[in-house]
Amino acid sequence: DAGITQSPRYKITETGRQVTLMCHQTWSHSYMFWYRQDLGHGLRLIYYSAAADITDKGEVPDGYVVSRSKTENFPLTLESATRSQTSVYFCASSESFDGGYTFGSGTRLTVV
Amino acid sequence: GNSVTQMEGPVTLSEEAFLTINCTYTATGYPSLFWYVQYPGEGLQLLLKATKADDKGSNKGFEATYRKETTSFHLEKGSVQVSDSAVYFCALSEFSGAGNMLTFGGGTRLMVKP
């Protein structure tokens, strides 16, 4: 089906582990984004990408790594998970600046 | 820099009441404006948008008008339903050298009681 898919939907990991959150979109949108959503902080941008092989930091990039070797995939890796990274993570894509974003359903990550 | 300010919630209404959620913005240029809705356990969905001054966005009975003179984009609905209970986010988008970036407000939770 066309759309934007995030996996896994739920993840529990231990402090210090590396974990990768996947994001896949079927529209070939140029722009892709990763946000985290925390109570009291709203949505905060972690990383974004304007095209394959072009990525840049957002508001809260520390502790995260992204790659974009193909237009349709934009994985987010937590290199060494910490409890402060417990959050709901949303991936989004967009074709143009006035078209808005399409969001995935989110990944709820718990770091214990 | 750009910013979006929304009224704090929660907003609690009875079914069929009139809804207004205030949103004001600060931007350096001519942004596009959006309202997103997030239902429990889901991602954000685009509700409506307006790309220039005096445009009115509308969808599912919700409306918002782009008011450049007051830098506002207030969300309204004439008669809310229980199914409208959700968190609503106002956002602006302005193209820059880094591409298109959405700036979100903090969100307003709406609770509609039967």
Side-chain angles (χ1 to χ4, degrees), chain B residues 23 45 79 103:
Chain B
C23 171
Q45 302 174 24
S79 176
T103 301

Side-chain angles (χ1 to χ4, degrees), chain A residues 3-28:
Chain A
I4 183 163
T5 307
Q6 291 186 238
S7 61
R9 191 70 196 270
Y10 302 94
K11 176 75 177 178
I12 300 174
T13 192
E14 294 178 340
T15 302
R17 297 265 191 180
Q18 182 181 83
V19 60
T20 296
L21 310 183
M22 304 302 292
C23 179
H24 174 79
Q25 53 110 347
T26 60
W27 297 293
S28 297

Side-chain angles (χ1 to χ4, degrees), chain A residues 1 5 10 21 24-26 30-31 37-39 42 52 60 62-63 74 82 85 91 97 106:
Chain A
D1 288 345
T5 307
Y10 302 94
L21 310 183
H24 174 79
Q25 53 110 347
T26 60
S30 299
Y31 299 98
Q37 185 177 34
D38 305 287
L39 204 60
V60 289
D62 293 343
F74 191 39
T82 65
Q85 292 177 309
C91 178
F97 80 97

Side-chain angles (χ1 to χ4, degrees), chain A residues 30-50:
Chain A
S30 299
Y31 299 98
M32 295 189 76
F33 308 85
W34 274 107
Y35 285 87
R36 59 179 290 173
Q37 185 177 34
D38 305 287
L39 204 60
H41 291 281
L43 284 158
R44 292 183 290 176
L45 181 65
I46 305 170
Y47 269 94
Y48 65 97
S49 169

Side-chain angles (χ1 to χ4, degrees), chain A residues 36-87:
Chain A
R36 59 179 290 173
Q37 185 177 34
D38 305 287
L39 204 60
H41 291 281
L43 284 158
R44 292 183 290 176
L45 181 65
I46 305 170
Y47 269 94
Y48 65 97
S49 169
D53 297 322
I54 301 175
T55 62
D56 209 345
K57 297 177 181 179
E59 181 185 355
V60 289
D62 293 343
Y64 303 94
V65 174
V66 293
S67 62
R68 195 164 176 211
S69 57
K70 294 183 178 181
T71 300
E72 61 267 30
N73 295 324
F74 191 39
L76 176 74
T77 298
L78 287 67
E79 295 182 295
S80 177
T82 65
R83 289 195 180 90
S84 64
Q85 292 177 309
T86 292
S87 185

